[in-house]
Amino acid sequence: MTHMKQTLRILLVNKFYYPRGGDCICMINLESLLRRLGYEVAVYSMDYPQNLPCKTSRYFASEVSFSGGWIARWKATERLFGSGDIVRSFQRVLDDFRPQIVHFHNIHSYLSPIIVKLAREFGCRTVWTLHDYKLLCPSYNCLCRGEICEACFTDRTQVVRRRCMKNSLPASVLAYGEALWWNRAKLQRWVDTFVCPSSFMAQKMRACGYDYTKLAVICNFIEQDKLEAFRSDELQAFSAEPYYCYVGRLSEEKGIRLLLDVARSLPYPLYVAGDGPLADELRGKYASEKIHFLGHLSSQEVVQLVSWARAMVIPSVWYENNPLSVIESLCMGTPVIGSEVGGIPELIREGDGCLFRMGDKEELEAAITAMMDNSCIDRETISKRAQERFSETRYWEALKKVYGVESDI
């Protein structure tokens, strides 16, 4: 190890510290990777009952919620604009840990961009991985009433006019105010590099006026431990009959209704893993001998389910950024049928599966049928190619340039 490698201190920041979603999983995986590389790593998050055990949890910002009484909502609103205890708690971790690099992930609302300013003033290199479109769209997801929308790219008042945030006027007004307060000029001044997991994200950032010299495209990676768990023999029951699967959130933007409508007309078993706001409704409407709802699965159970599937389907109807579900499926050697939207096409290369036009039932049905009837899929080649593309080594080679360090895995 070099001297720099032994002494470099990196602070990782995300609003939650448990496997809640892709942003959390990416940061937790990065923490594990950096520790194995020999760096000193600390974590900063919001205090939350489901957080993983953490040595630096005493520094965490207090929990806030927008769903409580008026006092709770007021504290959450203060946090939104960088007031309250967030400054004091983050300054403490800076003073005590003294990081040279602070790597931010998902920090809006439950933390605050004020901490980016504090890190910059402390003299840290600041890196921000963008897991959603919050810097471009006040409601995060570039959706309005279920349709893809870029109206706020040029006019932020649209979030209020269209009530894009939870279809609520107060929530949309807050989102508008937050977007004005944490504007592009401030964020670009405080951030050294914005890491975009997809070229699609980087293109949207550049189109909205962000300095291209501050953008780095680095695709997400899959952790080494999960690679070693692939192709487990413990789920033989699933492989008794060829099936396809969906793993993800059961919500409108994921296109799950489209998939289920198509699945009802097909003879092949579909296994649906995941939970979300539509779970009860969809289970009641679609559950059958051919459509099986599995609910939330553990990481190991997901590996087992996907690795034995004939195909994984990603039917999204929004700007997916760099979905881990696609990456994991390909690393298992399971081909992906993906919606041609957002960053999905960047992940599915020739031989890795196929794309279908977003929202097109006929194309999706044809794609599923072709995949299920294809018994000559070269899973070994898919897996080998994907594990090289999405490896820790490849990710670190790109990230260390952003960090400005010299080291190897």
Side-chain angles (χ1 to χ4, degrees):
M1 292 185 183
T2 65
H3 179 68
M4 175 179 286
K5 188 172 180 179
Q6 291 174 324
T7 60
L8 186 67
R9 293 180 297 278
I10 303 169
L11 177 62
L12 301 179
V13 183
N14 195 61
K15 58 188 180 183
F16 295 104
Y17 185 56
Y18 70 100
R20 179 186 177 103
D23 57 323
C24 306
I25 292 170
C26 286
M27 193 199 77
I28 291 169
N29 290 348
L30 177 57
E31 177 193 7
S32 176
L33 172 60
L34 292 173
R35 291 191 189 282
R36 282 186 280 112
L37 287 169
Y39 295 104
E40 293 186 50
V41 182
V43 171
Y44 180 82
S45 183
M46 181 183 75
D47 193 25
Y48 196 71
Q50 291 177 260
N51 282 345
L52 300 173
C54 181
K55 292 181 179 179
T56 53
S57 60
R58 65 185 182 278
Y59 297 105
F60 286 7
S62 61
E63 182 181 356
V64 294
S65 173
F66 291 92
S67 60
W70 72 268
I71 294 178
R73 291 197 299 271
W74 176 256
K75 289 183 177 179
T77 301
E78 282 188 319
R79 177 70 55 80
L80 207 68
F81 294 96
S83 299
D85 68 345
I86 184 78
V87 172
R88 182 173 62 255
S89 67
F90 192 71
Q91 193 65 58
R92 282 180 57 219
V93 73
L94 289 176
D95 290 338
D96 290 356
F97 184 61
R98 307 195 69 80
Q100 289 99 339
I101 298 170
V102 182
H103 191 155
F104 302 93
H105 288 263
N106 199 341
I107 62 172
H108 272 88
S109 303
Y110 294 99
L111 295 178
S112 168
I114 189 65
I115 62 181
V116 184
K117 179 176 184 287
L118 295 174
R120 182 70 171 184
E121 292 175 344
F122 195 79
C124 303
R125 178 182 288 270
T126 52
V127 177
W128 191 344
T129 293
L130 305 175
H131 297 280
D132 57 38
Y133 298 90
K134 180 64 174 177
L135 302 192
L136 311 179
C137 168
S139 63
Y140 296 91
N141 55 18
C142 298
L143 284 175
C144 182
R145 298 180 182 87
E147 300 290 334
I148 289 177
C149 173
E150 296 185 358
C152 284
F153 285 14
T154 54
D155 178 11
R156 296 296 176 87
T157 66
Q158 292 296 326
V159 69
V160 177
R161 297 179 185 184
R162 303 179 182 213
R163 301 191 181 188
C164 295
M165 196 69 172
K166 302 178 181 178
N167 198 31
S168 163
L169 180 59
S172 298
V173 169
L174 273 179
Y176 173 65
E178 185 183 21
L180 289 184
W181 188 247
W182 307 117
N183 56 62
R184 185 179 71 236
K186 287 180 179 177
L187 299 182
Q188 286 203 135
R189 189 163 64 247
W190 302 335
V191 177
D192 288 305
T193 304
F194 295 98
V195 173
C196 302
S198 66
S199 294
F200 181 86
M201 167 72 80
Q203 291 164 4
K204 293 301 180 184
M205 288 286 286
R206 188 169 181 179
C208 289
Y210 278 84
D211 182 355
Y212 74 94
T213 65
K214 285 181 172 282
L215 304 177
V217 178
I218 308 179
C219 179
N220 292 323
F221 70 95
I222 191 162
E223 65 275 30
Q224 189 63 37
D225 289 348
K226 185 163 285 187
L227 291 180
E228 295 169 359
F230 289 165
R231 306 306 299 163
S232 168
D233 293 329
E234 296 178 17
L235 207 68
Q236 293 288 350
F238 277 109
S239 63
E241 182 180 7
Y243 67 92
Y244 62 113
C245 68
Y246 168 88
V247 178
R249 184 171 167 77
L250 302 185
S251 54
E252 296 290 357
E253 75 277 5
K254 295 297 184 178
I256 183 63
R257 288 187 193 275
L258 174 77
L259 173 58
L260 293 171
D261 283 340
V262 169
R264 283 204 294 197
S265 65
L266 294 174
Y268 319 105
L270 167 66
Y271 287 90
V272 178
D275 210 341
L278 301 181
D280 292 338
E281 176 193 343
L282 297 180
R283 188 178 291 107
K285 183 177 180 180
Y286 293 99
S288 67
E289 291 183 359
K290 289 295 182 182
I291 301 177
H292 309 272
F293 289 85
L294 305 178
H296 174 76
L297 299 183
S298 69
S299 177
Q300 181 60 28
E301 289 170 333
V302 169
V303 168
Q304 294 170 343
L305 172 67
V306 177
S307 65
W308 283 102
R310 185 65 63 87
M312 158 90 84
V313 182
I314 307 293
S316 296
V317 293
W318 76 297
Y319 285 160
E320 288 278 8
N321 183 9
N322 190 240
L324 288 173
S325 54
V326 176
I327 292 172
E328 292 182 352
S329 182
L330 294 177
C331 286
M332 296 178 211
T334 300
V336 176
I337 301 169
S339 179
E340 195 169 9
V341 66
I344 294 175
E346 299 171 37
L347 299 175
I348 304 174
R349 297 179 178 177
E350 185 175 357
D352 291 337
C354 62
L355 297 168
F356 70 95
R357 185 167 49 193
M358 186 189 76
D360 192 314
K361 289 185 180 180
E362 291 183 0
E363 283 197 11
L364 177 56
E365 181 175 338
I368 294 172
T369 300
M371 197 69 71
M372 295 300 293
D373 291 344
N374 183 358
S375 59
C376 300
I377 298 170
D378 190 349
R379 301 179 71 106
E380 185 176 345
T381 297
I382 293 174
S383 177
K384 182 178 179 181
R385 183 169 55 219
Q387 291 188 28
E388 291 174 356
R389 285 178 65 196
F390 308 121
S391 69
E392 292 179 342
T393 301
R394 187 273 319 160
Y395 180 86
W396 178 242
E397 284 299 314
L399 185 64
K400 73 179 184 180
K401 295 175 183 176
V402 171
Y403 280 2
V405 303
E406 295 294 334
S407 64
D408 297 308
I409 280 186

